[in-house]
Amino acid sequence: MSQSLVYLDNNATTMVAPEVTEAMMPFFRDRWGNPSSIHRFGGSVRRYIERARSQAAELIGASGEEVFFTSCGTESDNMALKGFFALHGTKTRIITSAVEHPAVRNTARYLKKMGAELIEVGVDSQGCLDPAVFDDLPIDEHTIVSVMWANNETGVVFPIEEIAPKVKEKGGVFHCDAVQVAGKMKIDMRTVPVDILAVSGHKLHAPKGIGIIFIRKGIRIEPLIHGGHQEYGMRAGTENVPYCVGFGVACSLAIKYLGEETDRVRILRDRLEAELLKRCPGAKLNGHPTKRIPNTSNISFENIEGEAILLHLDENNIAASSGSACTTGSLEPSHVMIAMGVPYHFAHSSTRFSLSRYTTPEEINRVIEVMPSIVEKLRALSPFVKD
Ligand code: PLP
């Protein structure tokens, strides 16, 4: 493997931006005090957490008091659903889409076992969710609706600005998993009535192990972690100061690059997609052609195993993914492909390419170059194809 790495798995995790690493280092080396300490050595660190909170709030159009640091997107999603259940008990009704990330899907299923009612709303063959569905659903003050902003496998964007007001009108609470959209598209809590929002650091060039939950002023949920008074009583445990600082810087960089850079990524993604669909026989796009975050392309190659494609790409030092990283190791098509009704001989080969602002045109050229021969070779070996 002499060629340099082409990393097209940014929906799984992203490279930590050099500016983020640099901003974090002083908090490992010099400023390692406990922000809750009375003495200046520790206490003086608090203002850096608060600055990071403001930077995070700015990315989503919130105010600082509505943003709480957590350890990851999964924790934020768990906190939203379990924190609601803790107040509403067995009266709780959870409504989610059929294509949520396991962080929401499995939490909702767990709460169903604990006595909550669970309704899962389906998507169409392009992975889109019809907002009109929410007109007829039973939604009241004991209902939490949890719908992701963008799907991690297909990149399809859901009309949150249409769904959230429908939920609010009927008195429900609206939670949105924004892990795949934050930093890729502008989102603004001032204009969309989302009550609770989850964001993860490692999807936007901060390290793994840090995230935020946005809780709109006036919305009540129970904390997931009890203990000290940290995070205004919403998330106990001594703060991970370097990671909070890194998250804040990553958010400021994301704001800086939204627009021009995300347009550049979209152009690269569209070229990759158009060329693969043209050059690889039996290739088909999974997901809506335009209602997508700019960095994601999910393509199936008829009658080929996705795992085999990934291994061949890996031999060429190209990192991509089949479905979400959390489901690799399973031979079943992902729940997202199943919910979209993608036929088995396509669903099995669903391959996700996810770009970042560090992706170059040369890297895209390399994938366009190698992919047709991988498809040709694997198709010749395919157990699905009968002559
Ligand atoms: N939600 C979505 C849509 C995701 O894509 C992911 C990670 O892949 C998560 C939640 C979980 O985030 P984290 O890895 O920070 O726990």
Side-chain angles (χ1 to χ4, degrees), residues 15 48 119 130 178 229 235 379:
M15 182 183 102
Y48 297 98
I119 300 173
D130 179 4
H229 55 272
R235 206 274 187 178
R379 186 145 307 122

Side-chain angles (χ1 to χ4, degrees), residues 119-156:
I119 300 173
E120 280 185 5
V121 178
V123 293
D124 67 16
S125 61
Q126 293 191 316
C128 294
L129 186 60
D130 179 4
V133 170
F134 292 86
D135 293 335
D136 301 326
L137 287 173
I139 296 172
D140 60 20
E141 74 272 26
H142 299 301
T143 306
I144 182 163
V145 175
S146 178
V147 174
M148 65 201 327
W149 211 314
N151 184 267
N152 45 300
E153 293 190 31
T154 59
V156 169

Side-chain angles (χ1 to χ4, degrees), residues 69-88:
F69 284 107
T70 64
S71 68
C72 59
T74 300
E75 183 187 324
S76 301
D77 285 333
N78 268 262
M79 184 170 166
L81 296 181
K82 291 178 181 166
F84 186 87
F85 181 80
L87 294 180
H88 297 261

Side-chain angles (χ1 to χ4, degrees), residues 355-376:
L355 290 63
S356 82
R357 63 174 184 259
Y358 296 102
T359 306
T360 64
E362 294 70 33
E363 290 175 328
I364 294 300
N365 288 345
R366 240 176 74 200
V367 182
I368 293 170
E369 234 166 71
V370 304
M371 200 60 201
S373 56
I374 292 177
V375 170
E376 194 183 339

Side-chain angles (χ1 to χ4, degrees), residues 47-70:
R47 68 173 184 276
Y48 297 98
I49 298 179
E50 295 314 316
R51 186 174 66 189
R53 197 186 307 285
S54 305
Q55 290 166 318
E58 199 187 340
L59 179 69
I60 59 172
S63 80
E65 306 101 78
E66 297 170 313
V67 170
F68 306 91
F69 284 107
T70 64

Side-chain angles (χ1 to χ4, degrees), residues 213-387:
I213 185 167
F214 156 84
I215 306 172
R216 190 178 292 280
K217 227 174 178 176
I219 297 295
R220 268 191 69 221
I221 56 169
E222 192 58 31
L224 192 61
I225 299 177
H226 296 90
H229 55 272
Q230 293 90 351
E231 293 302 297
Y232 304 96
M234 284 310 290
R235 206 274 187 178
T238 302
E239 299 90 338
N240 188 345
V241 182
Y243 281 49
C244 294
V245 169
F247 188 94
V249 172
C251 290
S252 294
L253 290 170
I255 295 168
K256 176 174 157 194
Y257 289 119
L258 265 174
E260 218 170 279
E261 258 314 290
T262 40
D263 286 349
R264 190 189 69 84
V265 168
R266 187 193 303 277
I267 291 166
L268 284 182
R269 188 274 312 268
D270 288 349
R271 193 160 74 78
L272 171 70
E273 195 168 282
E275 290 298 327
L276 294 187
L277 292 174
K278 190 171 77 188
R279 293 177 189 217
C280 305
K284 178 184 156 298
L285 177 69
N286 295 311
H288 194 278
T290 56
K291 291 180 189 164
R292 272 182 299 157
I293 41 176
N295 78 320
T296 307
S297 184
N298 188 312
I299 300 179
S300 282
F301 302 89
E302 190 178 13
N303 288 332
I304 301 180
E305 277 282 352
E307 302 284 318
I309 295 172
L310 295 186
L311 291 175
H312 279 73
L313 283 171
D314 194 40
E315 271 172 25
N316 287 278
N317 214 9
I318 296 168
S321 168
S322 65
S324 81
C326 311
T327 56
T328 50
S330 144
L331 285 176
E332 282 304 301
S334 79
H335 69 284
V336 176
M337 293 300 125
I338 291 171
M340 289 164 66
V342 176
Y344 187 80
H345 55 292
F346 277 105
H348 233 247
S349 64
S350 137
T351 306
R352 181 184 70 185
F353 302 96
S354 48
L355 290 63
S356 82
R357 63 174 184 259
Y358 296 102
T359 306
T360 64
E362 294 70 33
E363 290 175 328
I364 294 300
N365 288 345
R366 240 176 74 200
V367 182
I368 293 170
E369 234 166 71
V370 304
M371 200 60 201
S373 56
I374 292 177
V375 170
E376 194 183 339
K377 185 167 160 192
L378 291 176
R379 186 145 307 122
L381 300 171
S382 172
F384 301 111
V385 182
K386 297 192 188 78
D387 50 10

Side-chain angles (χ1 to χ4, degrees), residues 181-193:
V181 86
K184 295 172 187 161
M185 273 171 49
K186 187 169 164 49
I187 54 175
D188 191 346
M189 295 301 99
R190 284 166 297 215
T191 56
V192 186

